[in-house]
Amino acid sequence: TAGVSTEQQAQHEWLSMRQDDPGLSPAGAAQLKLLQKHAMKLPRKSGCSRYKIVSSPMRRACQTAKALVEVLACSGVDVQSELCEVGGVYSTQADANGQFQKVRGNAMLSSQISQEFGFNTGSLPASGPWDGGKGFECI
């Protein structure tokens, strides 16, 4: 029936759209605006005036952390590779049979994260993968 996908079709569609290290989606940007509104209330509600933000090196996590730094007037963000999503940064390629295979993706370099976001990347290696060499998750 129209609009109904099998699990295999849904997985195929998802894998065909896989990006190495995507930024925030439109839905993620909308959620971030809500998070910023709530974060503005944090100093008053918590009584705290100092915050430490720790982020994954993934692009969308860095975008989120940067927005929170601006709202909370933090001194910066520490980027930790251990906070990367399972499987790290990867994309997919279809083989001759139309089956998707994982390929190592392109992560931002530590220097790129530092330049683009102004974050402390001292604990990161110079380049990814940010999964600590654990390898890909199963698909």
Side-chain angles (χ1 to χ4, degrees):
T1 61
V4 177
S5 297
T6 66
E7 181 179 345
Q8 186 176 15
Q9 289 169 324
Q11 185 179 55
H12 186 275
E13 181 180 345
W14 179 78
L15 290 171
S16 70
M17 297 184 311
R18 177 76 190 179
Q19 297 177 27
D20 293 6
D21 188 11
L24 287 170
S25 67
Q31 291 170 350
L32 178 56
K33 288 184 189 227
L34 292 172
L35 178 61
Q36 286 176 298
K37 285 174 69 173
H38 287 288
M40 283 187 227
K41 302 173 191 172
L42 194 57
R44 180 177 48 80
K45 288 190 170 195
S46 70
C48 291
S49 59
R50 295 181 346 172
Y51 302 93
K52 179 174 182 150
I53 297 178
V54 181
S55 176
S56 159
M58 305 294 286
R59 181 174 299 279
R60 63 188 177 275
C62 289
Q63 290 171 322
T64 301
K66 183 175 182 177
L68 289 176
V69 164
E70 293 166 2
V71 168
L72 295 172
C74 297
S75 60
V77 173
D78 287 330
V79 182
Q80 302 289 324
S81 63
E82 297 85 15
L83 299 177
C84 185
E85 67 187 55
V86 174
V89 176
Y90 68 92
S91 61
T92 57
Q93 291 179 339
D95 63 19
N97 298 321
Q99 298 298 312
F100 285 95
Q101 304 298 317
K102 289 186 176 184
V103 294
R104 181 129 346 252
N106 295 310
M108 290 189 293
L109 301 175
S110 176
S111 60
Q112 289 173 302
I113 295 169
S114 182
Q115 285 178 332
E116 185 174 336
F117 297 101
F119 294 169
N120 175 6
T121 57
S123 68
L124 291 179
S127 64
W130 305 123
D131 64 354
K134 295 179 184 88
F136 299 133
E137 63 199 32
C138 296
I139 56 173

